[in-house]
Amino acid sequence: MNPILDELASLHESIPFDKISVEDYLPALRTLLDKAFVNFEAIKGNSDPPNFSNTLEALESLFIDLHTVMNIYYGTYLNCATESMQACGQDLFPLISEFESKVYSDDIIFDRLQTLYLRRTELDLTREQATLLEKSYRNFKRGGAGLAAEQKQRLEEIEQELWQLQMKFGDNYRKATESYELLVSDRARLAGLPADCLRQAAEKATEKGHDGSWIFDVSGSVYDTFMRFCADRELRRQMYIGIQCINYNSPDFDNQTLVHSILRLRREQAEVLGYPSFAHLELEERMLKSPEKAMAFLDELDTIVLPAAHGDIEALEELQEEMTGVREILRWDYLYYSERLRERLLRFNKETLRPYFELESLLEKLLRMIHKLYGIEFIRRTDLPTYHPDVRIYDCVDASDNRSLGRVYLDLFKRKEKQSGAWCSRFIGGYHFAERASRPHVALSYNLTRAPEGKATLLEFDEVEILLHELGHALHNLCGESAYPSLAGSSVALDFVELPSQLLENWVNEPGGLDLLASHHESGEAIPRELQRALQQSKCFMKGSMYKLRLEYSRLDLKLHLQDPSLIGDLHEFDARHFTEDAIVGGPYYGSFSCSFAHVFNGAYAAGYYSYLWAELLEADAFDVFRQQGIFDQATADRFRRSILATGGSEEPMTLYRRFREREPSGAALLRRAGLQSPQEQEAQ
């Protein structure tokens, strides 16, 4: 008995998490691979002339069940990364990688595809079918079809090695983040920290046998709060060193060798396929098309933000000198004095808004907002199995015709063996072709800290934005109408995928959205207008320096993937040169950020971290339409849903964006929102 195989035909109705054990994944995948190999040979051996159905749709069908098993495994693993689940992944990924390599490097199928591709203008294809043909043709070329046998073999070996190395990088990063501890026994040194942060640290210390002390880790929310509010400069320095060094020269979780190996293999993979670098290989399939264009975008933005960034740091230096007599802002001072300056100029800090965002009330209002915007109803299901008791399940229905859009698994609280951060992944994709159909099942995961029993879980404003961000990714999948799984939902270019997610964050930054989403958890009162105005003003606060710091990470990613890996050398020295050559803050550089750059070495953002900044330009430009027409204007929301959310990867991203915006993207809205000046405006002064 294997619940995955036994219920394969009905997984799109309900995933039997209560029956699936870690031991079920490997035999299920092996059984389905045996079946897929038979179907693979049938596609190759088909004596009929190639057509869209017997070649393209047959290839799409080939992977559906395999990817469903892998997605259910990986989506569960991200939330429950036990040792046994990690070991299981080491068995699963090489198998699926080997099969995908064999398929995408197969010359017989490539010949069939090429026949169709060369006749594509003669075929009566829909826009989506034409895109599928073009993408499939490119995928086979990028998979090694047409290369010599030894080159194909090497590409397959590289894929296998990369899967294992990237998994190991991620495991090291998660374990190092969980294991780091800053133990403080003197309460006086923790002046300035919010009560909730202190309570959590005290509870953690007690669990570890340190009654009367406090233990802080470097998970995202803890680190950010500590660096913004802890008045003790030396403790901030220790926390900064801690996060910089969690995977550098670590006795148990060092990632230096892994980074070098991953970069070397990626470079070799690109060269075998005829590309000068891995960055060129990756960006060919992105909206910006080349690393040169991506770097030019970053350089142009850098030119714009640099004067404002220097002005930000000068203001922080003046404040620090006034408060302490010390002028130079070091790396571990930036967040602390940014928060003090915010309090002085805007008369609020990030903790001020927390009482207005109680989790249960916020969730209810968020779902109500999505209904108002897109006409989607979220129906709570308590009768379905989950992989953990924390998970809430919602069926999503289009209120206009009661049509099912899919299902959401909401998993919000931090726990051991769960990946840090926030993300949206798919258990099951959406598709409808060749008498097969499914609606997407998506997992929306976060690491919020649960309040003590009987207390309200209150969110920071940044946490609310992140929740909206991930909900935007979920909507991209739920609203998808693409027929083919490889084009459905968020299966789009990496530098386009963040548009729906970053766009949705805007609603909590607008008065109309705030009125709907926020209310005091005790009094029920709305956020006072004065506080709303301060929040609006904060959109421009320290934007120059914040963009400058984000530019440094984006540039580092591209440099790592453009550079010959043999010339990178010691990662501390490489990173230190990068982060100090054009730095706006001072102080020594510790450790290596590259060694914990999980987005790049364990995620999908290799040579693509710039995508967040590019998507911010897109979403600011797109949201300008909502702002002009009204943030709940139905016609605008419907057009965005039809043009962007529903279409997935069925057409080129620029084509889809132009359809919504009726022109090319412009950076004017982004600069205006951030209070920055264009080069022309700077020159005129």
Side-chain angles (χ1 to χ4, degrees):
M1 296 288 289
N2 187 304
I4 300 174
L5 297 174
D6 295 342
E7 303 187 33
L8 189 64
S10 59
L11 286 178
H12 64 283
E13 297 174 7
S14 176
I15 303 172
F17 283 115
D18 55 337
K19 300 176 184 176
I20 297 173
S21 68
V22 66
E23 292 80 14
D24 294 322
Y25 290 107
L26 186 57
L29 184 65
R30 282 179 169 153
T31 298
L32 293 172
L33 278 170
D34 289 342
K35 178 183 175 183
F37 269 112
V38 172
N39 293 335
F40 171 52
E41 292 298 328
I43 300 171
K44 290 172 60 177
N46 193 330
S47 58
D48 293 337
N51 59 41
F52 193 86
S53 176
N54 68 21
T55 303
L56 271 301
E57 290 191 337
L59 284 169
E60 285 288 291
S61 296
L62 189 63
F63 288 104
I64 287 178
D65 291 339
L66 296 173
H67 287 168
T68 295
V69 172
M70 291 303 297
N71 288 343
I72 292 174
Y73 160 76
Y74 194 60
T76 308
Y77 163 77
L78 290 174
N79 291 285
C80 306
T82 62
E83 293 292 337
S84 60
M85 284 290 280
Q86 292 173 47
C88 180
Q90 295 296 328
D91 293 328
L92 295 176
F93 283 114
L95 292 176
I96 190 69
S97 175
E98 179 184 10
F99 179 69
E100 289 178 341
S101 295
K102 286 187 184 302
V103 172
Y104 287 112
S105 64
D106 188 85
D107 290 335
I108 295 175
I109 294 183
F110 180 62
D111 286 343
R112 294 178 68 85
L113 272 176
Q114 187 162 247
T115 298
L116 295 172
Y117 183 75
L118 294 175
R119 295 180 51 240
R120 62 192 182 278
T121 57
E122 305 167 19
L123 305 175
D124 186 21
L125 301 179
T126 66
R127 286 184 299 197
E128 183 176 0
Q129 289 173 333
T131 299
L132 183 62
L133 173 57
E134 291 177 8
K135 288 188 74 170
S136 299
Y137 178 75
R138 292 199 302 268
N139 286 342
F140 271 74
K141 295 211 42 143
R142 292 158 63 86
L147 297 179
E150 60 271 15
Q151 291 176 303
K152 292 180 183 181
Q153 178 62 32
R154 183 57 190 144
L155 283 176
E156 186 175 322
E157 292 168 354
I158 289 172
E159 286 286 352
Q160 298 257 359
E161 289 181 67
L162 281 173
W163 271 117
Q164 294 177 13
L165 293 171
Q166 289 165 180
M167 285 283 287
K168 180 62 175 173
F169 182 102
D171 289 341
N172 280 352
Y173 175 69
R174 180 182 58 78
K175 290 175 180 176
T177 303
E178 289 176 352
S179 65
Y180 177 84
E181 296 177 352
L182 177 66
L183 175 65
V184 182
S185 56
D186 183 356
R187 172 65 177 81
R189 299 191 69 187
L190 300 176
L193 284 169
D196 270 359
C197 181
L198 289 171
R199 174 186 57 76
Q200 294 161 24
E203 290 174 356
K204 188 165 188 175
T206 299
E207 289 172 9
K208 300 281 187 175
H210 297 283
D211 286 340
S213 295
W214 296 262
I215 288 179
F216 301 90
D217 59 39
V218 287
S219 60
S221 59
V222 174
Y223 179 82
D224 186 75
T225 299
F226 191 95
M227 298 302 282
R228 287 183 183 279
F229 291 98
C230 181
D232 190 304
R233 194 184 203 194
E234 174 56 24
L235 287 181
R236 295 198 308 270
R237 187 183 75 88
Q238 290 179 37
M239 278 289 272
Y240 169 78
I241 295 173
I243 202 167
Q244 286 289 117
C245 296
I246 54 171
N247 294 117
Y248 178 80
N249 282 347
S250 165
D252 300 311
F253 310 118
D254 192 90
N255 276 341
Q256 292 178 80
T257 301
L258 292 175
V259 169
H260 282 294
S261 297
I262 290 169
L263 290 173
R264 176 180 54 78
L265 288 168
R266 286 174 176 172
R267 177 74 167 217
E268 184 183 357
Q269 179 186 43
E271 290 176 346
V272 170
L273 291 169
Y275 295 85
S277 74
F278 184 77
H280 287 86
L281 170 66
E282 286 294 289
L283 270 87
E284 182 183 62
E285 293 295 302
R286 306 268 173 81
M287 198 171 178
L288 290 186
K289 299 302 182 187
S290 75
E292 290 79 13
K293 288 183 179 178
M295 197 66 87
F297 161 66
L298 297 177
D299 288 345
E300 182 179 358
L301 186 56
D302 186 75
T303 300
I304 293 169
V305 306
L306 194 57
H310 285 304
D312 289 346
I313 300 304
E314 185 176 347
L316 296 184
E317 287 174 338
E318 290 175 357
L319 178 62
Q320 181 176 240
E321 186 173 31
E322 175 191 323
M323 293 176 66
T324 69
V326 176
R327 184 171 180 83
E328 186 182 16
I329 292 288
L330 304 181
R331 299 176 192 280
W332 43 92
D333 298 323
Y334 174 77
L335 288 176
Y336 181 77
Y337 285 101
S338 292
E339 204 61 32
R340 303 293 76 72
L341 189 61
R342 184 202 308 269
E343 292 168 350
R344 175 173 292 192
L345 297 180
L346 304 179
R347 301 189 183 281
F348 89 107
N349 62 42
K350 296 198 173 189
E351 288 294 307
T352 310
L353 295 170
R354 192 189 283 269
Y356 295 91
F357 295 108
E358 187 274 321
L359 178 61
E360 298 304 322
S361 174
L362 175 65
L363 285 177
E364 180 183 333
K365 292 168 182 174
L366 267 178
L367 301 185
R368 197 184 309 152
M369 185 190 86
I370 298 304
H371 181 271
K372 183 175 183 178
L373 196 58
Y374 294 119
I376 298 173
E377 292 183 0
F378 289 76
I379 303 167
R380 181 79 182 270
R381 295 289 299 270
T382 57
D383 58 323
L384 298 174
T386 68
Y387 56 84
H388 192 277
D390 284 351
V391 179
R392 314 172 193 212
I393 302 178
Y394 295 87
D395 281 345
C396 304
V397 176
D398 192 316
S400 66
D401 55 10
N402 209 34
R403 175 170 51 97
S404 171
L405 297 177
R407 183 167 292 159
V408 174
Y409 293 75
L410 201 60
D411 186 354
L412 296 180
F413 291 114
K414 180 194 290 188
R415 57 180 178 267
K416 189 179 180 184
E417 297 170 339
K418 184 178 184 182
Q419 176 178 283
S420 62
W423 64 93
C424 181
S425 58
R426 282 183 291 200
F427 288 126
I428 297 175
Y431 54 87
H432 55 92
F433 74 101
E435 299 183 353
R436 296 194 67 170
S438 174
R439 293 307 304 168
H441 290 215
V442 299
L444 196 163
S445 302
Y446 201 2
N447 276 274
L448 298 173
T449 300
R450 194 195 309 267
E453 191 169 349
K455 298 284 187 180
T457 298
L458 305 178
L459 275 62
E460 293 181 4
F461 186 77
D462 288 354
E463 292 173 328
V464 179
E465 286 187 314
I466 291 169
L467 197 54
L468 278 159
H469 180 103
E470 301 306 335
L471 186 55
H473 282 309
L475 289 172
H476 201 178
N477 287 291
L478 294 168
C479 294
E481 296 178 4
S482 299
Y484 303 106
S486 65
L487 301 178
S490 59
S491 299
V492 300
L494 186 69
D495 49 5
F496 193 63
V497 75
E498 298 295 339
L499 167 58
S501 55
Q502 293 186 199
L503 180 87
L504 197 62
E505 295 176 33
N506 284 285
W507 270 261
V508 78
N509 283 287
E510 292 292 314
L514 265 180
D515 289 341
L516 185 64
L517 294 175
S519 61
H520 197 281
H521 73 105
E522 292 177 338
S523 67
E525 294 177 353
I527 296 180
R529 290 299 176 194
E530 182 182 343
L531 192 52
Q532 287 197 27
R533 282 193 293 272
L535 180 61
Q536 292 287 310
Q537 292 168 354
S538 72
K539 291 181 184 179
C540 302
F541 180 71
M542 302 296 291
K543 277 296 185 182
S545 54
M546 284 190 280
Y547 276 129
K548 179 63 177 172
L549 295 171
R550 291 170 63 193
L551 282 164
E552 289 181 357
Y553 296 129
S554 300
R555 279 207 183 104
L556 175 67
D557 169 37
L558 285 174
K559 280 185 181 179
L560 286 166
H561 291 98
L562 285 167
Q563 177 87 308
D564 180 344
S566 66
L567 302 178
I568 287 177
D570 181 80
L571 287 167
H572 164 73
E573 294 178 3
F574 184 87
D575 286 4
R577 284 195 300 273
H578 172 78
F579 283 110
T580 58
E581 65 186 9
D582 192 24
I584 56 172
V585 293
Y589 183 85
Y590 292 96
S592 165
F593 178 75
S594 293
C595 289
S596 53
F597 206 168
H599 272 75
V600 165
F601 293 106
N602 179 235
Y605 286 81
Y609 199 73
Y610 77 88
S611 300
Y612 286 104
L613 286 167
W614 174 249
E616 193 167 340
L617 181 150
L618 294 177
E619 61 84 2
D621 190 44
F623 189 69
D624 236 21
V625 184
F626 284 95
R627 183 176 284 112
Q628 292 163 14
Q629 302 299 322
I631 65 171
F632 290 106
D633 178 66
Q634 203 59 59
T636 305
D638 288 347
R639 191 163 91 248
F640 186 79
R641 180 173 175 176
R642 288 195 313 271
S643 303
I644 307 295
L645 298 179
T647 48
S650 61
E651 294 183 71
E652 282 291 318
M654 190 62 79
T655 301
L656 299 177
Y657 188 83
R658 281 196 299 259
R659 188 170 300 147
F660 171 71
R661 200 61 178 93
E662 300 177 341
R663 60 163 173 74
E664 299 278 321
S666 164
L670 175 66
L671 299 183
R672 185 169 60 250
R673 184 175 71 186
L676 300 172
Q677 294 180 321
S678 68
Q680 295 79 10
E681 291 171 324
Q682 292 178 21
E683 189 175 326
Q685 286 190 336

